[in-house]
Amino acid sequence: MKKKLINSQLFNFQTFNMYKRQLISLAENVFKFDGLGMYLDESFLNKSLLHDGSIAFFKDEYLGLLALPYVNIGNLDIYGRPTKIRVMGQNGYNRVLNRNEFVIMYDNNSRYPMYLDIVQYSERLALIKRTQDINIYQQRTTRFWKTPVEKERSVKDMINNVDGFNEAVITYEDINLDETTLVLEPAPYIAGSLDERFDKEFNEYLRLIGISNMTYQKKERQIRDEVSASLGGTIASRYNRFNPRAKACLEIKEKFGIDIIVSYYDDLPTNMVNPENDEEVDIDESVQI
């Protein structure tokens, strides 16, 4: 029993980590940067913004423009921004910078690590998926056997042979099948109904990180204004994450003379609009974008 419980808990943890990796990968690959130069790693930049909420750009006299995590070692200004920081590299590189020597890029306007939200969504998705797994497993007919204590071992041997597809004939001299009773208690099937809940949680996460995602039901007619209105949350999330990056790029250009352009990998969906300026779009199938 303890071994089975440990395996179940391990599977729960593995499922959680699987969704955390997938959600992190999505959030890290929303933006692309052009003009970073030789010593700026885009993957490291996106990862640091997601996990730490911000990163510091500065110019090294030998390596050029760099972007590294930092810790505040001075007083904050009137708006709560650092005035003196220490940047740290993965290889032990560290350097103290004053306010006029660095530019802070934030992941979002709220200036908090979005990784905290990713963990929450990962737990929710893993819970739904594991509930489905357990419910599917329970569709195996659950069997409760009632038998005298002295016959317990004999009944267990019979059950194990059945579950193991063993066609060997086992005989017992003293077992009385009339004393053994089987009670069937199949679990209700709910795994299918949880798909909608899973999709809702996943779509909510995509909205949070600014990825366009819409679900249209069969035979539903959507006009252009309705489509735009339904994307309001996604657009707001995009501004929330895009604006601080764009602002930092402007400051970098002014302070260091390096032009970095940030943009989304994708764009808002336009293929749902009729090219002949028809305000309505007929959708005969369930479509996800």
Side-chain angles (χ1 to χ4, degrees):
M1 179 62 71
K2 289 184 178 180
K3 181 178 180 181
K4 184 176 181 180
L5 180 60
I6 292 175
N7 289 337
S8 178
Q9 292 174 337
L10 180 60
F11 200 7
N12 293 342
F13 185 65
Q14 291 173 338
T15 304
F16 163 74
N17 281 333
M18 177 187 71
Y19 282 112
K20 186 173 71 170
R21 290 191 299 268
Q22 293 178 8
L23 298 189
I24 287 176
S25 179
L26 284 173
E28 287 179 351
N29 292 281
V30 173
F31 297 97
K32 63 178 179 179
F33 293 86
D34 295 319
L36 289 179
M38 182 180 299
Y39 293 103
L40 274 174
D41 189 293
E42 183 175 2
S43 176
F44 181 80
L45 171 61
N46 287 323
K47 185 181 295 292
S48 297
L49 286 171
L50 194 68
H51 285 77
D52 302 327
S54 62
I55 195 170
F57 284 79
F58 65 98
K59 204 166 187 179
D60 183 88
E61 55 269 26
Y62 301 106
L63 301 177
L65 187 65
L66 299 178
L68 292 176
Y70 67 93
V71 292
N72 179 40
I73 59 175
N75 297 324
L76 300 177
D77 67 8
I78 191 174
Y79 296 110
R81 297 170 299 190
T83 58
K84 189 175 184 179
I85 63 174
R86 180 185 297 275
V87 293
M88 299 165 293
Q90 298 291 308
N91 61 350
Y93 177 99
N94 73 89
R95 180 176 174 181
V96 175
L97 300 171
N98 294 314
R99 184 170 187 174
N100 62 340
E101 297 178 297
F102 64 87
V103 173
I104 300 296
M105 177 180 287
Y106 295 97
D107 180 63
N108 53 74
N109 285 324
S110 299
R111 301 180 181 178
Y112 76 95
M114 193 165 287
Y115 176 79
L116 302 174
D117 294 338
I118 292 177
V119 172
Q120 183 70 238
Y121 278 104
S122 301
E123 291 177 348
R124 292 181 179 180
L125 293 177
L127 175 61
I128 296 173
K129 182 57 65 175
R130 287 296 291 130
T131 301
Q132 288 181 310
D133 292 341
I134 294 172
N135 183 247
I136 292 173
Y137 178 81
Q138 289 176 339
Q139 297 313 299
R140 298 175 51 187
T141 304
T142 306
R143 294 163 294 178
F144 295 92
W145 294 83
K146 295 189 298 183
T147 190
V149 177
E150 62 272 13
K151 308 297 183 183
E152 179 181 359
R153 182 61 187 177
S154 299
V155 175
K156 283 184 176 180
D157 289 341
M158 294 173 59
I159 295 173
N160 287 337
N161 278 277
V162 173
D163 290 344
F165 300 99
N166 190 343
E167 298 182 358
V169 177
I170 302 176
T171 60
Y172 297 90
E173 295 181 356
D174 59 347
I175 188 171
N176 186 356
L177 294 179
D178 293 334
E179 297 177 353
T180 303
T181 305
L182 172 63
V183 181
L184 299 178
E185 289 290 342
Y189 180 74
I190 62 170
S193 62
L194 291 176
D195 286 336
E196 183 178 351
R197 182 63 186 179
F198 184 92
D199 290 342
K200 183 177 180 180
E201 292 287 348
F202 187 69
N203 292 343
E204 183 178 325
Y205 172 75
L206 294 179
R207 185 270 308 162
L208 174 69
I209 62 177
I211 295 180
S212 303
N213 189 81
M214 298 178 61
T215 301
Y216 298 90
Q217 300 298 325
K218 187 176 181 179
K219 297 183 179 179
E220 185 177 354
R221 296 174 66 85
Q222 297 281 335
I223 62 174
R224 183 182 304 169
D225 291 340
E226 290 176 340
V227 173
S228 299
S230 64
L231 289 174
T234 300
I235 296 173
S237 296
R238 286 193 166 202
Y239 278 118
N240 180 47
R241 302 189 70 199
F242 177 79
N243 282 352
R245 286 170 169 79
K247 182 179 179 181
C249 289
L250 290 177
E251 294 180 12
I252 292 170
K253 184 176 182 180
E254 293 176 0
K255 184 167 292 189
F256 305 122
I258 298 176
D259 192 9
I260 298 177
I261 300 175
V262 59
S263 58
Y264 274 87
Y265 273 113
D266 63 344
D267 200 354
L268 294 178
T270 57
N271 59 328
M272 304 307 298
V273 180
N274 194 309
E276 298 180 358
N277 293 326
D278 188 354
E279 292 293 324
E280 295 184 350
V281 179
D282 295 326
I283 303 173
D284 295 330
E285 302 293 340
S286 178
V287 180
Q288 285 192 347
I289 299 176

